[in-house]
């Protein structure tokens, strides 16, 4: 089956890709730096959503050097809204390491790339194959879908065993000397034809070799064990204002989730607490101030990979104490018009949008 599939990939899939590939900004000028940034962005969002982020990022940091010498806050600001902020922090650190230890040149082997923070086997294979034409096969969600359908593969794809087996399969199918095209063609097929719910098998260049298609039930693949239910948490957050009309924001600690990003202070509701009591306690613990809560502003519903959250947000005023960073890295009083100069997570950006909307309504 593998030699037959390999022949079909060479004779059908690669020509199909040459004819049908979508135009993407990172495909035009292919440098290791551009491939690296685009691959990291594509690991967390779709092509159409990643494209404006990519343009913005490249405009602000056109070279590895400009990224390495930027502040972390600037890098997080350019990543704002993409999620998985540890990737942005690692990207920044890795750029500094490349400047300091590799003379500003991207390392050319998978082993040396994988020593950089945040570069795993997927990213190394993508950069290696696309920028240096190394024989490395990429295994992402799209490739996994195509492979499991092509071979009617029935193991749970979340398991380590399956990941290893599928990586081996991809390695064996790889067209040596043309790894970049092979990887991109597999990913493109998964993204545009071999779709999760409605695969367009009648238009697929691999349908004659596809066991999933021949079974008549291609969507039975990939097989995934049912997901465990993820926890749901309730959070209270405060928009604390002072007499000057400034707003208090806090910077999350580097070691915490969303580390380095700014937020409206608050935290997780504890058993038996009202949201207002939660906000009062959290502000005391985080910034050492006592607050009086006021009007309700917004409830932000947000889903992270490992939990979902309702964040109830209220206005508040300090009744005693001066802020100091206890359970946060830093804090600032900021004019509402300057709030967006700091980097935030998506959930806090919703709060800013609602604040701006209310201000506009009042003016
Ligand atoms: Fe996917 Fe259908 Fe093509 Fe098989 S024939 S690879 S299921 S699109």
């Amino acid at each position: 089956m593998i030699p037959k599939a390999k022949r079909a990939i060479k004779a059908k899939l690669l020509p199909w890709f040459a004819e049908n590939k979508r135009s993407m900004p990172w495909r035009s000028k292919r440098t290791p730096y551009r491939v690296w940034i685009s691959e990291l962005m594509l690991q967390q969002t779709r092509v159409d959503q990643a494209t404006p982020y990519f343009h913005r990022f490249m405009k602000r940091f056109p070279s590895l050097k400009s990224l390495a010498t930027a502040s972390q806050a600037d890098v997080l600001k350019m990543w704002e809204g993409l999620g998985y902020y540890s990737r942005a922090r690692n990207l920044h650190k890795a750029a500094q390491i490349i400047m300091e230890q590799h003379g500003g040149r991207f390392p050319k082997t998978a082993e040396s790339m994988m020593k950089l923070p945040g570069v795993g086997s997927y990213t190394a294979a993508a950069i290696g194959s696309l920028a240096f034409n190394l024989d490395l096969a990429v295994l992402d969600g799209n490739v996994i879908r195509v492979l499991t359908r092509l071979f009617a593969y029935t193991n749970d794809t979340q398991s380590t065993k399956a990941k290893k087996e599928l990586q081996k399969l991809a390695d064996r199918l790889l067209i040596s000397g043309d790894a970049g095209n092979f990887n991109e063609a597999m990913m493109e097929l998964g993204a545009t034809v071999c779709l999760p719910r409605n695969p367009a098998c009648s238009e697929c260049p691999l349908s004659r070799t596809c066991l999933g298609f021949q079974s008549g039930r291609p969507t039975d693949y990939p097989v995934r064990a049912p997901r465990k239910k993820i926890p749901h948490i309730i959070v209270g957050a405060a928009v604390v204002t002072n007499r000057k009309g400034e707003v208090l924001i806090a910077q999350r600690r580097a070691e915490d989730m969303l580390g380095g990003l700014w937020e409206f202070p608050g935290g997780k509701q504890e058993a038996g607490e009202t949201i207002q009591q939660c906000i009062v306690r959290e502000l005391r613990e985080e910034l050492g101030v006592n607050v009086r809560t006021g009007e309700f502003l917004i409830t932000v519903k947000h889903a992270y990979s490992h939990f979902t959250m309702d964040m109830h947000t209220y206005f508040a005023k300090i009744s005693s104490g001066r802020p100091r960073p206890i359970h946060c890295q830093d804090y600032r009083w900021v004019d509402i018009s300057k709030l967006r100069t700091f980097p935030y997570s998506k959930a806090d950006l919703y709060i800013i949008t609602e604040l701006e909307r209310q201000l506009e309504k009042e003016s």
Side-chain angles (χ1 to χ4, degrees):
M1 175 66 193
I2 290 177
K4 193 177 166 197
K6 199 164 176 168
R7 278 196 300 277
I9 286 168
K10 206 169 176 179
K12 307 264 187 209
L13 180 67
L14 296 188
W16 169 87
F17 177 60
E19 211 166 292
N20 293 285
K21 67 178 162 192
R22 294 168 293 172
S23 136
M24 294 176 194
W26 43 88
R27 278 183 174 161
S28 56
K29 203 171 111 204
R30 194 160 272 175
T31 65
Y33 177 59
R34 285 167 65 87
V35 171
W36 182 33
I37 304 298
S38 63
E39 284 304 325
L40 282 187
M41 289 182 173
L42 290 171
Q43 279 169 35
Q44 44 208 71
T45 190
R46 295 196 316 261
V47 169
D48 54 335
Q49 286 165 342
T51 301
Y53 274 100
F54 181 79
H55 284 307
R56 217 159 55 106
F57 199 94
M58 283 301 152
K59 198 167 170 209
R60 178 68 186 76
F61 309 121
S63 63
L64 197 89
K65 191 176 170 194
S66 58
L67 175 62
T69 52
S71 71
Q72 189 191 71
D74 266 2
V75 178
L76 289 172
K77 187 73 198 163
M78 287 298 113
W79 207 260
E80 189 183 75
L82 270 173
Y84 295 96
Y85 296 91
S86 57
R87 287 185 182 156
R89 289 194 299 274
N90 281 333
L91 182 72
H92 188 216
K93 272 189 235 149
Q96 292 169 339
I97 293 171
I98 296 171
M99 291 308 296
E100 284 160 19
Q101 297 177 15
H102 299 270
R105 299 183 79 85
F106 217 93
K108 281 190 178 169
T109 63
E111 295 72 35
S112 49
M113 280 186 236
M114 282 164 70
K115 285 188 185 139
L116 295 170
V119 179
S121 56
Y122 169 82
T123 312
I127 301 170
S129 63
L130 296 169
F132 300 124
N133 205 23
L134 301 178
D135 277 349
L136 297 167
V138 156
L139 192 71
D140 73 346
N142 283 322
V143 177
I144 288 175
R145 190 163 56 254
V146 171
L147 286 178
T148 53
R149 288 175 177 175
L150 267 181
F151 291 89
Y153 182 86
T154 50
N155 286 340
D156 169 19
T157 53
Q158 308 289 331
S159 70
T160 318
K161 180 177 175 253
K163 290 210 173 107
K164 276 189 188 154
E165 285 176 353
L166 290 166
Q167 182 66 59
K168 262 192 196 158
L169 196 53
D171 292 343
R172 290 182 66 188
L173 290 171
L174 183 94
I175 310 295
S176 180
D178 205 4
N181 265 330
F182 166 82
N183 284 328
E184 280 207 294
M186 292 288 279
M187 290 192 276
E188 191 84 349
L189 189 74
T192 62
V193 176
C194 194
L195 299 169
R197 288 201 195 99
N198 294 307
C201 300
S202 57
E203 295 162 28
C204 178
L206 299 180
S207 59
R208 293 183 66 160
T209 26
C210 179
L211 298 181
F213 171 59
Q214 283 159 28
S215 76
R217 300 168 63 121
T219 51
D220 282 0
Y221 312 94
V223 174
R224 282 193 202 99
R227 278 198 183 182
K228 284 195 202 117
K229 208 168 175 269
I230 59 170
H232 179 71
I233 62 163
I234 306 287
V235 167
V239 175
V240 182
T241 54
N242 64 12
R243 286 208 193 107
K244 293 189 213 161
E246 293 166 327
V247 177
L248 182 63
I249 54 170
Q251 187 179 31
R252 294 179 67 88
R253 293 182 296 192
E255 64 274 22
D256 291 347
M257 182 187 158
L258 308 173
L261 293 180
W262 291 78
E263 65 172 11
F264 295 95
K268 198 169 149 190
Q269 185 184 37
E270 289 184 356
E273 265 182 350
T274 63
I275 278 296
Q276 283 87 349
Q277 286 167 339
C278 158
I279 290 172
V280 170
R281 177 186 51 73
E282 282 288 343
L283 272 277
R284 201 181 299 132
E285 288 173 6
E286 193 174 335
L287 289 151
V289 290
N290 289 309
V291 296
R292 259 192 331 270
T293 55
E295 277 181 37
F296 168 76
L297 176 66
I298 187 177
T299 293
V300 177
K301 291 179 181 292
H302 196 63
Y304 292 98
S305 56
H306 52 298
F307 67 91
T308 56
M309 163 186 95
D310 283 357
M311 182 157 73
H312 302 294
T313 312
Y314 284 77
F315 285 102
K317 295 264 186 219
I318 293 181
S319 53
S320 65
R322 288 167 75 96
R324 60 207 149 91
I326 303 171
H327 279 159
C328 60
Q329 202 160 290
D330 202 356
Y331 75 91
R332 290 269 202 291
W333 285 105
V334 184
D335 192 88
I336 292 183
S337 63
K338 304 262 166 54
L339 275 174
R340 286 194 188 267
T341 56
F342 294 80
Y344 304 87
S345 73
K346 240 182 192 169
D348 285 272
L349 285 171
Y350 285 124
I351 298 177
I352 297 179
T353 303
E354 181 58 21
L355 261 178
E356 290 168 343
R357 201 186 64 80
Q358 292 211 357
L359 273 181
E360 208 174 296
K361 221 167 71 184
E362 284 163 16
S363 62

